Amino acid sequence: MAAQEQYEELARQLSAVAAVRRDLGRLLPPDCSPASAVVLALVQKHGELRMSRLAELMAVDMSVTSRHVTYATEHGWLVRLPDPADRRSRLLSLSPDGEALLREVSTRYTQALATCLQDWSDDDIGALTGLLARLRTSFGDCRARPQHLAHAADAAAAG
Amino acid sequence: MAAQEQYEELARQLSAVAAVRRDLGRLLPPDCSPASAVVLALVQKHGELRMSRLAELMAVDMSVTSRHVTYATEHGWLVRLPDPADRRSRLLSLSPDGEALLREVSTRYTQALATCLQDWSDDDIGALTGLLARLRTSFGDCRARPQHLAHAADAAAAG
DNA sequence: TATTGTTATACTCTATAACTATA
DNA sequence: TATAGTTATAGAGTATAACAATA
């Protein structure tokens, strides 16, 4: 097990990475919120999706997902079709405009990252991407067993 | 230079790490917002600080910093003293209550991370922490020369 | 009864602009 | 004039709870 100092430093860096996310968000076209970019990218990556599945992938409450999807639908980037298998559910897919927007976003992100990360090797970038993916998995597994995180907080509070 | 797909994947992972940050935020004591935890940790790490320096470290506007510091001061965690060298400025330092809160936060974070990252080696954690720090530096350098990021967006828009 | 999704409400975080006080 | 900091305002993101429709 790592030292406390090492965990504290990781927590600090995880907080600080928000600044990078804000920088990337500023690159987006006027009407495209960061959340819209995330939603569109996930629908593209996973294909036709239900709301509940999208909420799970974003790790946010479904009420939040619903607002983001409504916004993207009103802007013509996303299409909500009824699910023939379950009439409570709706299936999301990208519109042609959504695909075009996503290409634009990808171009801007790539351009900015290539500029800022000039001195990063492919391996560096791959290592960071891989570790972030693994971090999400580790936390996702924890979240699936809520007693873990809750226990950690309770134990700390009791100590 | 890395492939476009690699940059897109990195951008996705950077967006997704927000979920981990939210999970950590949920561990905090009732009155302690995530922003308060960040402010207190920075004051502890860097010692007596001016508002402008704190804003720079958080990479947010000074108006945002001002609100966070006011909140932490009203809760008795932070002390704002006049700067004898410049009467426009104020110097921030931790109160005993602030130090105690920070110890509590550190315990909770450490407990949760130790639980979720059970199968991570010290080297894994160090690698992720180091890469995140480097990412911030690379973006910080870019931000210091705004034409870089702006140029990236403009070039993409023109393309 | 349980589940899918939507809406209302409230809270946190951030940026812009206008302002005060001091350099 | 320029800089340090504050405040007002607006916008984006999220969670909780109450609700409608369907399984």
Side-chain angles (χ1 to χ4, degrees):
Chain A
M1 173 178 147
Q4 171 155 346
E5 171 55 39
Q6 208 178 1
Y7 287 128
E8 288 174 2
E9 179 62 19
L10 176 57
R12 272 194 291 271
Q13 293 301 334
L14 288 173
S15 288
V17 79
V20 173
R21 292 183 58 243
R22 287 196 299 275
D23 283 339
L24 286 177
R26 277 185 267 270
L27 298 172
L28 294 172
D31 280 348
C32 181
S33 66
S36 292
V38 170
V39 167
L40 297 185
L42 285 172
V43 174
Q44 183 184 54
K45 185 176 181 182
H46 291 82
E48 222 174 38
L49 277 179
R50 300 172 63 153
M51 295 291 306
S52 50
R53 175 67 179 143
L54 182 58
E56 186 184 326
L57 290 169
M58 297 180 71
V60 297
D61 191 88
M62 196 159 51
S63 66
V64 176
T65 309
S66 182
R67 293 181 73 89
H68 293 324
V69 166
T70 297
Y71 182 89
T73 302
E74 285 169 351
H75 282 75
W77 303 322
L78 226 48
V79 179
R80 274 190 289 211
L81 295 174
D83 180 350
D86 183 343
R87 282 190 300 168
R88 293 173 304 180
S89 181
R90 309 171 82 167
L91 293 176
L92 308 174
S93 54
L94 279 176
S95 73
D97 278 2
E99 289 173 4
L101 175 60
L102 214 36
R103 279 192 297 273
E104 170 67 24
V105 169
S106 173
T107 301
R108 294 191 185 200
Y109 276 0
T110 298
Q111 198 101 18
L113 287 171
T115 302
C116 290
L117 308 186
Q118 275 172 331
D119 58 339
W120 288 55
S121 70
D122 284 19
D123 282 352
D124 292 335
I125 297 178
L128 176 55
T129 304
L131 286 167
L132 288 174
R134 187 176 164 203
L135 180 73
R136 276 212 300 154
T137 302
S138 292
F139 264 77
D141 291 348
C142 250
R143 207 180 305 120
R145 295 184 295 282
Q147 66 274 21
H148 282 200
L149 270 176
H151 174 68
D154 292 347
Chain B
M1 170 178 150
Q4 170 155 346
E5 171 56 38
Q6 208 177 1
Y7 287 128
E8 289 175 0
E9 180 62 19
L10 176 56
R12 271 195 292 270
Q13 293 300 335
L14 288 174
S15 288
V17 80
V20 174
R21 292 182 57 245
R22 288 196 298 275
D23 282 339
L24 285 178
R26 276 186 267 270
L27 297 173
L28 294 172
D31 281 348
C32 180
S33 66
S36 292
V38 169
V39 166
L40 297 184
L42 285 172
V43 173
Q44 182 183 54
K45 184 176 182 181
H46 291 83
E48 223 174 38
L49 277 178
R50 300 173 62 153
M51 296 290 307
S52 50
R53 174 68 179 140
L54 182 58
E56 185 184 326
L57 290 170
M58 296 180 71
V60 297
D61 192 87
M62 196 159 49
S63 66
V64 176
T65 308
S66 181
R67 294 183 71 89
H68 292 324
V69 167
T70 297
Y71 182 90
T73 301
E74 286 171 349
H75 281 76
W77 304 321
L78 228 47
V79 178
R80 274 189 288 210
L81 295 173
D83 181 350
D86 183 344
R87 281 191 301 168
R88 295 171 303 180
S89 181
R90 310 171 83 169
L91 294 176
L92 308 174
S93 54
L94 279 178
S95 73
D97 279 1
E99 290 173 4
L101 175 60
L102 213 34
R103 279 192 298 273
E104 170 67 23
V105 169
S106 174
T107 301
R108 295 191 187 201
Y109 277 0
T110 298
Q111 199 101 18
L113 288 171
T115 302
C116 289
L117 308 186
Q118 275 173 329
D119 58 337
W120 287 54
S121 71
D122 284 20
D123 282 354
D124 291 335
I125 297 178
L128 175 54
T129 305
L131 286 166
L132 288 174
R134 187 176 165 202
L135 179 73
R136 277 213 297 156
T137 302
S138 292
F139 264 77
D141 291 348
C142 248
R143 206 181 305 122
R145 297 184 295 282
Q147 66 275 20
H148 281 200
L149 270 176
H151 173 69
D154 292 347

mmCIF file of all heavy atoms in Angstrom, chain A residues 4-28:
data_model
loop_
_atom_site.group_PDB
_atom_site.id
_atom_site.type_symbol
_atom_site.label_atom_id
_atom_site.label_comp_id
_atom_site.label_asym_id
_atom_site.label_seq_id
_atom_site.Cartn_x
_atom_site.Cartn_y
_atom_site.Cartn_z
ATOM 1 N N GLN A 4 0.635 7.694 2.700
ATOM 2 C CA GLN A 4 -0.410 8.715 2.746
ATOM 3 C C GLN A 4 -0.052 9.904 1.866
ATOM 4 O O GLN A 4 -0.894 10.433 1.144
ATOM 5 C CB GLN A 4 -0.602 9.160 4.198
ATOM 6 C CG GLN A 4 -1.503 10.380 4.344
ATOM 7 C CD GLN A 4 -2.166 10.447 5.704
ATOM 8 O OE1 GLN A 4 -2.167 9.470 6.449
ATOM 9 N NE2 GLN A 4 -2.725 11.590 6.027
ATOM 10 N N GLU A 5 1.229 10.295 1.929
ATOM 11 C CA GLU A 5 1.674 11.450 1.150
ATOM 12 C C GLU A 5 1.428 11.235 -0.346
ATOM 13 O O GLU A 5 1.060 12.157 -1.073
ATOM 14 C CB GLU A 5 3.159 11.705 1.418
ATOM 15 C CG GLU A 5 3.817 12.750 0.524
ATOM 16 C CD GLU A 5 3.084 14.097 0.543
ATOM 17 O OE1 GLU A 5 2.616 14.525 1.629
ATOM 18 O OE2 GLU A 5 2.956 14.710 -0.526
ATOM 19 N N GLN A 6 1.620 9.988 -0.789
ATOM 20 C CA GLN A 6 1.428 9.675 -2.205
ATOM 21 C C GLN A 6 -0.054 9.803 -2.598
ATOM 22 O O GLN A 6 -0.374 10.326 -3.669
ATOM 23 C CB GLN A 6 1.911 8.247 -2.456
ATOM 24 C CG GLN A 6 2.401 8.009 -3.872
ATOM 25 C CD GLN A 6 2.922 6.594 -4.068
ATOM 26 O OE1 GLN A 6 2.906 5.767 -3.145
ATOM 27 N NE2 GLN A 6 3.387 6.318 -5.266
ATOM 28 N N TYR A 7 -0.932 9.352 -1.732
ATOM 29 C CA TYR A 7 -2.367 9.490 -2.000
ATOM 30 C C TYR A 7 -2.778 10.962 -1.988
ATOM 31 O O TYR A 7 -3.588 11.398 -2.799
ATOM 32 C CB TYR A 7 -3.177 8.725 -0.961
ATOM 33 C CG TYR A 7 -3.129 7.221 -1.126
ATOM 34 C CD1 TYR A 7 -2.792 6.386 -0.073
ATOM 35 C CD2 TYR A 7 -3.452 6.638 -2.350
ATOM 36 C CE1 TYR A 7 -2.766 5.006 -0.225
ATOM 37 C CE2 TYR A 7 -3.422 5.263 -2.514
ATOM 38 C CZ TYR A 7 -3.082 4.449 -1.449
ATOM 39 O OH TYR A 7 -3.063 3.095 -1.611
ATOM 40 N N GLU A 8 -2.238 11.718 -1.056
ATOM 41 C CA GLU A 8 -2.582 13.145 -0.998
ATOM 42 C C GLU A 8 -2.170 13.850 -2.286
ATOM 43 O O GLU A 8 -2.910 14.665 -2.829
ATOM 44 C CB GLU A 8 -1.879 13.812 0.194
ATOM 45 C CG GLU A 8 -2.459 13.406 1.536
ATOM 46 C CD GLU A 8 -1.654 13.969 2.694
ATOM 47 O OE1 GLU A 8 -0.678 14.704 2.454
ATOM 48 O OE2 GLU A 8 -2.009 13.670 3.859
ATOM 49 N N GLU A 9 -0.987 13.516 -2.771
ATOM 50 C CA GLU A 9 -0.504 14.147 -3.990
ATOM 51 C C GLU A 9 -1.375 13.749 -5.189
ATOM 52 O O GLU A 9 -1.686 14.580 -6.047
ATOM 53 C CB GLU A 9 0.963 13.744 -4.236
ATOM 54 C CG GLU A 9 1.587 14.320 -5.494
ATOM 55 C CD GLU A 9 1.652 15.838 -5.489
ATOM 56 O OE1 GLU A 9 1.548 16.445 -4.398
ATOM 57 O OE2 GLU A 9 1.768 16.422 -6.586
ATOM 58 N N LEU A 10 -1.786 12.494 -5.226
ATOM 59 C CA LEU A 10 -2.682 12.066 -6.309
ATOM 60 C C LEU A 10 -4.003 12.830 -6.241
ATOM 61 O O LEU A 10 -4.508 13.308 -7.268
ATOM 62 C CB LEU A 10 -2.943 10.561 -6.228
ATOM 63 C CG LEU A 10 -3.945 10.000 -7.250
ATOM 64 C CD1 LEU A 10 -3.511 10.318 -8.677
ATOM 65 C CD2 LEU A 10 -4.119 8.487 -7.069
ATOM 66 N N ALA A 11 -4.549 12.976 -5.043
ATOM 67 C CA ALA A 11 -5.803 13.719 -4.887
ATOM 68 C C ALA A 11 -5.637 15.156 -5.375
ATOM 69 O O ALA A 11 -6.508 15.704 -6.057
ATOM 70 C CB ALA A 11 -6.261 13.689 -3.428
ATOM 71 N N ARG A 12 -4.503 15.767 -5.037
ATOM 72 C CA ARG A 12 -4.251 17.146 -5.497
ATOM 73 C C ARG A 12 -4.220 17.213 -7.021
ATOM 74 O O ARG A 12 -4.813 18.109 -7.626
ATOM 75 C CB ARG A 12 -2.905 17.642 -4.941
ATOM 76 C CG ARG A 12 -2.994 18.295 -3.591
ATOM 77 C CD ARG A 12 -1.712 19.070 -3.255
ATOM 78 N NE ARG A 12 -0.555 18.210 -3.029
ATOM 79 C CZ ARG A 12 -0.204 17.698 -1.840
ATOM 80 N NH1 ARG A 12 -0.934 17.954 -0.779
ATOM 81 N NH2 ARG A 12 0.850 16.929 -1.722
ATOM 82 N N GLN A 13 -3.522 16.278 -7.644
ATOM 83 C CA GLN A 13 -3.407 16.307 -9.104
ATOM 84 C C GLN A 13 -4.750 16.041 -9.769
ATOM 85 O O GLN A 13 -5.050 16.598 -10.830
ATOM 86 C CB GLN A 13 -2.365 15.289 -9.580
ATOM 87 C CG GLN A 13 -0.929 15.625 -9.169
ATOM 88 C CD GLN A 13 -0.467 16.977 -9.699
ATOM 89 O OE1 GLN A 13 -0.969 17.463 -10.718
ATOM 90 N NE2 GLN A 13 0.478 17.583 -8.999
ATOM 91 N N LEU A 14 -5.570 15.211 -9.153
ATOM 92 C CA LEU A 14 -6.889 14.948 -9.727
ATOM 93 C C LEU A 14 -7.763 16.189 -9.664
ATOM 94 O O LEU A 14 -8.552 16.457 -10.574
ATOM 95 C CB LEU A 14 -7.562 13.782 -8.991
ATOM 96 C CG LEU A 14 -6.965 12.406 -9.292
ATOM 97 C CD1 LEU A 14 -7.586 11.340 -8.400
ATOM 98 C CD2 LEU A 14 -7.155 12.047 -10.764
ATOM 99 N N SER A 15 -7.618 16.971 -8.581
ATOM 100 C CA SER A 15 -8.348 18.229 -8.510
ATOM 101 C C SER A 15 -7.850 19.204 -9.567
ATOM 102 O O SER A 15 -8.635 19.876 -10.230
ATOM 103 C CB SER A 15 -8.182 18.857 -7.126
ATOM 104 O OG SER A 15 -8.911 18.136 -6.166
ATOM 105 N N ALA A 16 -6.540 19.234 -9.713
ATOM 106 C CA ALA A 16 -5.940 20.251 -10.572
ATOM 107 C C ALA A 16 -6.197 20.002 -12.051
ATOM 108 O O ALA A 16 -6.156 20.927 -12.861
ATOM 109 C CB ALA A 16 -4.439 20.328 -10.304
ATOM 110 N N VAL A 17 -6.477 18.761 -12.416
ATOM 111 C CA VAL A 17 -6.689 18.462 -13.823
ATOM 112 C C VAL A 17 -7.953 19.141 -14.348
ATOM 113 O O VAL A 17 -8.152 19.271 -15.554
ATOM 114 C CB VAL A 17 -6.738 16.932 -14.051
ATOM 115 C CG1 VAL A 17 -8.083 16.363 -13.665
ATOM 116 C CG2 VAL A 17 -6.398 16.574 -15.478
ATOM 117 N N ALA A 18 -8.797 19.628 -13.438
ATOM 118 C CA ALA A 18 -9.995 20.355 -13.860
ATOM 119 C C ALA A 18 -9.627 21.560 -14.715
ATOM 120 O O ALA A 18 -10.367 21.931 -15.629
ATOM 121 C CB ALA A 18 -10.799 20.793 -12.640
ATOM 122 N N ALA A 19 -8.491 22.169 -14.419
ATOM 123 C CA ALA A 19 -8.065 23.337 -15.196
ATOM 124 C C ALA A 19 -7.819 22.968 -16.655
ATOM 125 O O ALA A 19 -8.154 23.736 -17.562
ATOM 126 C CB ALA A 19 -6.799 23.930 -14.576
ATOM 127 N N VAL A 20 -7.266 21.788 -16.864
ATOM 128 C CA VAL A 20 -7.030 21.335 -18.238
ATOM 129 C C VAL A 20 -8.366 21.098 -18.943
ATOM 130 O O VAL A 20 -8.534 21.465 -20.109
ATOM 131 C CB VAL A 20 -6.170 20.051 -18.236
ATOM 132 C CG1 VAL A 20 -6.051 19.479 -19.631
ATOM 133 C CG2 VAL A 20 -4.790 20.333 -17.646
ATOM 134 N N ARG A 21 -9.298 20.514 -18.212
ATOM 135 C CA ARG A 21 -10.621 20.282 -18.803
ATOM 136 C C ARG A 21 -11.280 21.610 -19.178
ATOM 137 O O ARG A 21 -11.919 21.729 -20.225
ATOM 138 C CB ARG A 21 -11.517 19.496 -17.853
ATOM 139 C CG ARG A 21 -11.068 18.051 -17.646
ATOM 140 C CD ARG A 21 -12.017 17.300 -16.754
ATOM 141 N NE ARG A 21 -13.363 17.297 -17.278
ATOM 142 C CZ ARG A 21 -14.417 17.835 -16.691
ATOM 143 N NH1 ARG A 21 -14.295 18.424 -15.520
ATOM 144 N NH2 ARG A 21 -15.592 17.790 -17.250
ATOM 145 N N ARG A 22 -11.133 22.623 -18.339
ATOM 146 C CA ARG A 22 -11.715 23.926 -18.670
ATOM 147 C C ARG A 22 -11.051 24.507 -19.921
ATOM 148 O O ARG A 22 -11.719 25.094 -20.766
ATOM 149 C CB ARG A 22 -11.564 24.888 -17.495
ATOM 150 C CG ARG A 22 -12.489 24.580 -16.339
ATOM 151 C CD ARG A 22 -12.588 25.760 -15.374
ATOM 152 N NE ARG A 22 -11.312 26.114 -14.772
ATOM 153 C CZ ARG A 22 -10.804 25.540 -13.690
ATOM 154 N NH1 ARG A 22 -11.458 24.564 -13.086
ATOM 155 N NH2 ARG A 22 -9.651 25.923 -13.202
ATOM 156 N N ASP A 23 -9.737 24.349 -20.021
ATOM 157 C CA ASP A 23 -9.029 24.836 -21.206
ATOM 158 C C ASP A 23 -9.574 24.179 -22.472
ATOM 159 O O ASP A 23 -9.816 24.853 -23.479
ATOM 160 C CB ASP A 23 -7.528 24.542 -21.090
ATOM 161 C CG ASP A 23 -6.819 25.510 -20.156
ATOM 162 O OD1 ASP A 23 -7.361 26.609 -19.926
ATOM 163 O OD2 ASP A 23 -5.732 25.180 -19.657
ATOM 164 N N LEU A 24 -9.766 22.872 -22.413
ATOM 165 C CA LEU A 24 -10.298 22.176 -23.592
ATOM 166 C C LEU A 24 -11.715 22.650 -23.896
ATOM 167 O O LEU A 24 -12.081 22.836 -25.064
ATOM 168 C CB LEU A 24 -10.285 20.658 -23.371
ATOM 169 C CG LEU A 24 -8.912 19.973 -23.442
ATOM 170 C CD1 LEU A 24 -9.032 18.484 -23.133
ATOM 171 C CD2 LEU A 24 -8.282 20.176 -24.820
ATOM 172 N N GLY A 25 -12.502 22.862 -22.848
ATOM 173 C CA GLY A 25 -13.875 23.310 -23.048
ATOM 174 C C GLY A 25 -13.965 24.643 -23.775
ATOM 175 O O GLY A 25 -14.885 24.883 -24.549
ATOM 176 N N ARG A 26 -12.970 25.501 -23.528
ATOM 177 C CA ARG A 26 -12.976 26.827 -24.168
ATOM 178 C C ARG A 26 -12.761 26.751 -25.673
ATOM 179 O O ARG A 26 -12.966 27.741 -26.383
ATOM 180 C CB ARG A 26 -11.907 27.714 -23.525
ATOM 181 C CG ARG A 26 -12.370 28.385 -22.251
ATOM 182 C CD ARG A 26 -11.328 29.353 -21.715
ATOM 183 N NE ARG A 26 -10.443 28.738 -20.737
ATOM 184 C CZ ARG A 26 -10.675 28.716 -19.419
ATOM 185 N NH1 ARG A 26 -11.745 29.268 -18.946
ATOM 186 N NH2 ARG A 26 -9.831 28.120 -18.606
ATOM 187 N N LEU A 27 -12.319 25.601 -26.154
ATOM 188 C CA LEU A 27 -12.075 25.453 -27.586
ATOM 189 C C LEU A 27 -13.355 25.132 -28.362
ATOM 190 O O LEU A 27 -13.370 25.186 -29.589
ATOM 191 C CB LEU A 27 -11.075 24.315 -27.827
ATOM 192 C CG LEU A 27 -9.671 24.465 -27.244
ATOM 193 C CD1 LEU A 27 -8.898 23.167 -27.412
ATOM 194 C CD2 LEU A 27 -8.949 25.619 -27.916
ATOM 195 N N LEU A 28 -14.419 24.804 -27.648
ATOM 196 C CA LEU A 28 -15.626 24.304 -28.320
ATOM 197 C C LEU A 28 -16.364 25.416 -29.060
ATOM 198 O O LEU A 28 -16.298 26.587 -28.676
ATOM 199 C CB LEU A 28 -16.546 23.653 -27.295
ATOM 200 C CG LEU A 28 -15.977 22.379 -26.648
ATOM 201 C CD1 LEU A 28 -16.861 21.919 -25.507
ATOM 202 C CD2 LEU A 28 -15.803 21.284 -27.685
#
